Amino acid sequence: MRLSFGDCRLDSDTRELTRGGKTVHLEPKAYRLLELLLASRPKALSKDELQDALWPKTFVSERSLARLVGVLRGALGDSAEEPRLIRTVHGFGYAFHGDVGVLGPAGARPAAGDYRCRLIWGEREIPLSEGENLVGRDPAAAVWIDLASVSRRHARISVANGAATIEDLGSHNGTRVDGERISSPTALASGDRIKIGAATLVFRRSRSLGTTESEISTHSGGPGTNRAR
């Protein structure tokens, strides 16, 4: 699985961590600490739980864990004074509380042709691959939104030849496009605002022109329900 948080990317298959596009080398126990915190997020793990997992059947002082947390924070560009990713739960332990995104598999095909489709969620940019892109709270979803208001399999965005449609998958809170709750597959145009639970994402579709991109603001005329503009 490939995850993104802050300016970092983690590939659990290759065990590679990058920050700002540059490889970050972590000692094995610091990497394992990162795995533990990510897997349990946003739940806080106690110092005892972490020490048992990192140093099984071995007595170590709390200083060893604190040092390891400091190493990990340094690698991620985080700090104890102004934590963005790793939160200290005083008198208890630590928790990962940064926003985490799930990226498509390495080498995943982008939208076909000269078009590029993606979603913008806050500071995150999520590329959409040709074919079906699941949106939901399931960690395996192409667009993973870890919010209680989002169903595990909330919606599906299908991309074909650069055109995209969105379909609600019977979610509890529904899916809205530009304020309208959809009940059937709906074609997306660049700039559409998609409401998934409490999350608002913006769909972007652009055409590559050499080394630049030109935003496509008109409706693509793809399959699905056309909405009045």
Side-chain angles (χ1 to χ4, degrees):
M1 182 179 292
R2 299 172 65 236
L3 304 176
S4 67
F5 41 89
D7 59 350
C8 298
R9 301 289 184 271
L10 177 68
D11 190 324
S12 61
D13 293 329
T14 63
R15 295 178 64 87
E16 182 181 22
L17 174 68
T18 61
R19 178 182 164 203
K22 297 181 179 180
T23 299
V24 177
H25 298 286
L26 274 179
E27 59 183 86
K29 286 196 184 298
Y31 181 88
R32 179 59 179 150
L33 174 60
L34 176 59
E35 284 185 320
L36 291 168
L37 293 174
L38 282 170
S40 298
R41 68 186 187 280
K43 176 186 173 183
L45 294 177
S46 70
K47 294 176 183 178
D48 287 342
E49 288 176 300
L50 290 170
Q51 289 177 183
D52 288 344
L54 293 165
W55 294 279
K57 299 181 181 180
T58 302
F59 174 79
V60 295
S61 68
E62 288 189 7
R63 289 185 179 181
S64 297
L65 178 59
R67 182 198 70 82
L68 204 60
V69 171
V71 168
L72 181 56
R73 279 176 168 151
L76 302 180
D78 203 17
S79 70
E81 294 75 21
E82 296 182 3
R84 297 177 297 106
L85 300 174
I86 300 176
R87 178 171 61 91
T88 299
V89 183
H90 294 287
F92 182 77
Y94 301 92
F96 195 99
H97 75 145
D99 291 331
V100 179
V102 177
L103 305 175
R109 292 177 300 160
D114 296 327
Y115 296 96
R116 178 174 177 238
C117 295
R118 60 200 187 279
L119 294 174
I120 309 298
W121 183 24
E123 296 182 354
R124 288 175 51 193
E125 180 175 311
I126 307 167
L128 298 174
S129 298
E130 183 80 359
E132 295 185 351
N133 298 264
L134 178 65
V135 183
R137 196 160 39 85
D138 187 336
V143 183
W144 181 48
I145 305 175
D146 190 21
L147 297 176
S149 58
V150 176
S151 300
R152 288 184 63 83
R153 294 176 56 85
H154 196 107
R156 176 171 52 228
I157 298 178
S158 300
V159 178
N161 298 319
T165 60
I166 186 169
E167 177 183 5
D168 185 79
L169 298 178
S171 66
H172 180 71
N173 290 319
T175 301
R176 297 178 182 272
V177 178
D178 283 347
E180 299 179 10
R181 184 161 181 164
I182 63 173
S183 57
S184 60
T186 300
L188 292 170
S190 190
D192 279 348
R193 297 175 66 84
I194 304 169
K195 187 79 169 177
I196 303 287
T200 299
L201 306 93
V202 179
F203 174 74
R204 294 293 183 192
R205 178 176 183 261
S206 55
R207 174 179 290 168
S208 299
L209 299 174
T211 59
T212 63
E213 290 187 347
S214 176
E215 192 73 24
I216 306 298
S217 58
T218 57
H219 203 277
S220 62
T225 304
N226 290 326
R227 287 171 291 113
R229 295 282 161 185

